[in-house]
């Protein structure tokens, strides 16, 4: 214990857990020195969108617990599926064995791509899925005699996870800078983030500028470049930076022209978050046939926020590049818990929800209510800019002149007193709620977010 950690007195059950946590748990994405000012909220139980502490305090989970929870906490259907799976098969290795939850999940995800992405490789966390996609891309080119293609391209302010390989294609300074000397070099090109629009410039025109920069790079180095990795439609960790869907279509065209794989990191934007099950479904122009990336990464919401699960979907062309008598030409990535049956079963329960209920339609309707409720309170508010929405993601930026120091932390703390779990990214305030909004939730969220804003500014 160090004297530099001021501690609140353990006068309550909440405070006792906070103290024990700060003493023993190294919290992620956290300056532990500030835990005195910002102690972790001790959560005892959760139900629907509500998190509850040990003394009955309630918080609306406005960020779906770091974007993973889709149908609320303690969801009856997912709970039932998991209890059944627990008494049937908790885990077995996926090398040399197989099991129904993994097979069914792979089949059903493939079907959702019209079988364009027909092969599923399993892991447990998003960063690993990204690394698997990078390795697959490089190794498949190598197996085809193109071993020089070993460089990767990513977008300005893109985020793909924080292990060493994933961090190499991540361009978020706060996560990256300290470890930069350890990282493989990647090409970073302009993002299509619509907030960069000059006066009179449209989102589509910003995307065109970004595409021109990408085209120039591919023109000169395609022989060395294995893949481009992007977050389709919304660069979430960049501060919910949104772009025009036409960007995806044109990126696909460029990647085809220069023989570069396109990796869609849908870890945050997949599973209905942007209004379609896969964000990439919005890439095709109206009435045009669907287009797909070469590799697609999913994690976060796929297991409903219950268990760690990630996966990479691949085209037949990439998969076939590994088929050979020689083991060394196979895809070599071993992970102990790959295809864990409990996690896969949770994911199947999530897919059941999408199959049996009009999830996306309902989100469009309830989402419109939240959009209207926020607009009624924030329209014309000179303290904020770039009010935006895509599917079940809402965001606005507080202008620099109003934000002041430690804006995100102050907003988060003020949110707690309003019964919200909300964590801005820099000056970006965002909502990424579970897919169960009713009228009461909509009113609560809109009211409390604006009350929080008013108390901080
Ligand atoms: C969260 C996230 C990751 C990393 O996933 P982890 O499970 O945290 O490793 C990668 N890419 C995107 C787009 C993400 O939002």
């Amino acid at each position: 214990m160090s004297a530099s950690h001021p501690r609140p007195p353990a006068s309550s059950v909440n405070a006792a857990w906070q103290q024990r946590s700060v003493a023993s748990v190294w919290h992620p994405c956290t300056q532990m020195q500030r835990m005195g000012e910002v102690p972790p909220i001790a959560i005892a139980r959760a139900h629907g969108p509500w998190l509850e502490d040990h003394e009955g305090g309630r918080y609306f989970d406005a960020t779906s617990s770091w974007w993973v929870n889709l149908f609320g906490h303690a969801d009856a259907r997912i709970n039932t599926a998991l209890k059944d799976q627990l008494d049937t098969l908790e885990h077995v290795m996926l090398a040399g064995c197989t099991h129904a939850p993994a097979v069914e999940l792979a089949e059903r995800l493939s079907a959702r791509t019209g079988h364009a992405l027909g092969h599923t490789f399993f892991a447990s966390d998003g960063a690993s899925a990204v690394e698997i996609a990078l390795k697959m891309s490089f190794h498949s080119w190598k197996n085809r005699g193109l071993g020089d293609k070993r460089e990767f391209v990513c977008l300005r302010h893109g985020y793909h996870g924080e292990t060493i390989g994933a961090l190499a294609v991540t361009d978020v300074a706060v996560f990256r800078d300290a470890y930069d000397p350890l990282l493989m070099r990647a090409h970073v090109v302009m993002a299509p983030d619509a907030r960069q629009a000059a006066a009179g410039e449209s989102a589509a025109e910003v995307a065109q500028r970004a595409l021109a920069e990408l085209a120039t790079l591919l023109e000169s180095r395609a022989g060395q470049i294995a893949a481009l990795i992007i977050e389709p439609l919304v660069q979430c960790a960049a501060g919910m930076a949104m772009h025009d869907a036409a960007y995806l279509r044109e990126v696909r065209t460029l990647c085809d022209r220069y023989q570069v794989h396109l990796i869609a990191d849908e870890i945050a934007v997949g599973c209905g978050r942007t209004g379609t099950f896969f964000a990439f479904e919005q890439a095709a122009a109206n009435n045009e046939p669907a287009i797909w990336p070469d590799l697609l990464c999913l994690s976060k919401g796929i297991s409903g926020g219950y268990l760690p699960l990630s996966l990479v979907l691949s085209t037949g062309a990439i998969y076939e590049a590994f088929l050979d008598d020689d083991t060394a030409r196979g895809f070599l990535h071993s992970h102990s818990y790959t295809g864990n049956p409990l996690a896969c079963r949770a994911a199947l329960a999530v897919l059941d929800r999408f199959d049996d209920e009009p999830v996306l339609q309902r989100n469009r309707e309830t989402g419109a209510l939240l959009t209207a409720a926020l607009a009624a309170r924030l329209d014309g508010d000179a303290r904020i800019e770039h009010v935006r929405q895509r599917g079940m993601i809402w965001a606005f930026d507080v202008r620099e002149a109003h934000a002041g120091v430690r804006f995100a932390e102050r907003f988060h703390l003020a949110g707690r007193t309003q019964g919200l779990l909300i964590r801005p990214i820099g000056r970006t305030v965002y909502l990424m709620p579970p897919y169960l909004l009713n009228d009461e939730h909509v009113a609560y969220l809109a009211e409390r977010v604006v009350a929080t804003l008013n108390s901080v500014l």
Side-chain angles (χ1 to χ4, degrees):
M1 282 197 221
S2 110
S4 62
H5 287 164
R7 300 259 164 78
S11 58
S12 67
V13 183
N14 283 337
W17 281 113
Q18 289 174 335
Q19 281 198 4
R20 286 171 63 182
S21 190
V22 172
S24 59
V25 177
W26 199 334
H27 287 265
C29 205
T30 297
Q31 173 48 267
M32 293 301 290
Q33 169 102 14
R34 290 198 63 74
M35 284 301 230
E37 287 78 22
V38 196
I41 311 173
I43 301 300
R45 58 189 69 77
H47 190 81
W50 301 105
L51 304 166
E52 206 180 300
D53 67 22
H54 293 268
E55 288 149 31
R58 279 203 327 171
Y59 306 88
F60 193 103
D61 192 353
T63 56
S64 297
S65 286
W66 253 354
W67 322 343
V68 301
N69 187 292
L70 295 194
F71 295 103
H73 297 270
D75 175 71
R77 290 184 66 168
I78 303 178
N79 285 8
T80 304
L82 278 178
K83 286 172 187 165
D84 175 67
Q85 188 59 43
L86 194 57
D87 287 331
T88 310
L89 174 66
E90 86 298 342
H91 184 70
V92 65
M93 63 194 287
L94 203 59
C97 299
T98 192
H99 53 79
V103 174
E104 288 175 11
L105 182 54
E107 287 176 351
R108 288 172 67 178
L109 288 172
S110 167
R112 281 188 168 271
T113 69
H115 304 286
L117 302 170
H119 306 273
T120 296
F121 195 95
F122 292 96
S124 295
D125 64 303
S128 291
V130 165
E131 302 221 359
I132 286 164
L134 300 178
K135 283 173 69 177
M136 271 182 181
S137 171
F138 161 73
H139 196 171
S140 71
W141 289 126
K142 181 162 175 255
N143 280 349
R144 290 169 57 185
L146 296 167
D148 285 346
K149 288 169 82 69
R150 64 172 72 150
E151 297 173 6
F152 297 100
V153 186
C154 59
L155 301 188
R156 181 71 61 206
H157 304 317
Y159 180 92
H160 301 287
E162 293 169 57
T163 55
I164 304 274
L167 199 52
V169 289
T170 286
D171 183 53
V172 179
V174 64
F175 300 130
R176 184 192 162 103
D177 283 359
Y179 310 102
D180 188 73
L182 305 180
L183 305 178
M184 150 179 97
R185 298 293 111 194
H187 302 279
V188 183
V189 295
M190 180 182 162
D193 180 355
R195 291 177 301 181
Q196 303 167 101
E201 196 183 25
S202 69
E205 287 162 343
V206 174
Q208 285 306 323
R209 275 200 280 140
L211 287 159
E213 192 178 313
L214 175 64
T216 304
L217 172 68
L218 296 184
E219 172 75 39
S220 68
R221 281 201 77 76
Q224 288 76 40
I225 291 172
L228 162 71
I229 184 164
I230 61 168
E231 297 160 85
L233 298 182
V234 188
Q235 293 181 287
C236 296
M240 304 300 154
M242 301 182 183
H243 58 254
D244 196 273
Y247 176 79
L248 303 177
R249 183 159 63 245
E250 304 207 15
V251 155
R252 177 69 276 179
T253 304
L254 282 176
C255 286
D256 285 342
R257 181 179 311 149
Y258 292 104
Q259 292 290 291
V260 164
H261 290 142
L262 175 55
I263 303 172
D265 176 350
E266 298 220 5
I267 289 166
V269 297
C271 303
R273 185 53 74 179
T274 64
T276 43
F277 185 83
F278 294 111
F280 217 88
E281 288 170 49
Q282 296 175 48
N286 279 344
N287 305 319
E288 293 291 312
I291 54 176
W292 294 100
D294 300 285
L295 295 160
L296 188 151
C297 304
L298 274 189
S299 187
K300 291 202 163 99
I302 185 63
S303 63
Y306 270 68
L307 286 159
L309 178 67
S310 68
L311 42 93
V312 179
L313 301 175
S314 145
T315 58
I318 290 182
Y319 174 78
E320 279 151 26
F322 292 89
L323 301 179
D324 196 275
D325 287 336
D326 181 0
T327 304
R329 289 172 64 96
F331 183 60
L332 301 173
H333 189 95
S334 321
H335 166 53
S336 312
Y337 279 98
T338 187
N340 174 258
L342 284 164
C344 289
R345 190 65 189 276
L348 288 170
V350 165
L351 294 187
D352 287 344
R353 297 290 292 261
F354 281 95
D355 287 347
D356 302 346
E357 299 167 26
V359 173
L360 300 174
Q361 171 69 24
R362 211 170 48 212
N363 281 351
R364 271 195 293 281
E365 291 162 11
T366 58
L369 297 179
L370 181 53
T371 303
L374 287 169
R377 290 167 175 83
L378 292 173
D379 261 4
D381 191 327
R383 301 170 301 177
I384 64 172
E385 59 186 341
H386 304 306
V387 179
R388 56 202 184 275
Q389 181 212 352
R390 174 83 67 162
M392 292 294 277
I393 305 174
W394 290 260
F396 59 83
D397 297 356
V398 171
R399 288 182 198 273
E400 204 159 8
H402 291 275
V405 291
R406 291 193 198 283
F407 169 77
E409 183 184 291
R410 281 163 41 233
F411 194 96
H412 165 70
L413 286 173
R416 291 184 185 191
T417 68
Q418 293 289 336
L420 289 178
L421 176 61
I422 188 164
R423 289 171 53 107
I425 300 170
R427 292 184 285 115
T428 299
V429 175
Y430 73 90
L431 293 171
M432 208 144 151
Y435 305 167
L436 40 60
L437 297 181
N438 60 28
D439 292 0
E440 183 207 339
H441 300 142
V442 164
Y444 185 97
L445 275 176
E447 235 161 67
R448 304 294 175 108
V449 166
V450 175
T452 304
L453 188 70
N454 290 336
S455 81
V456 171
L457 298 191

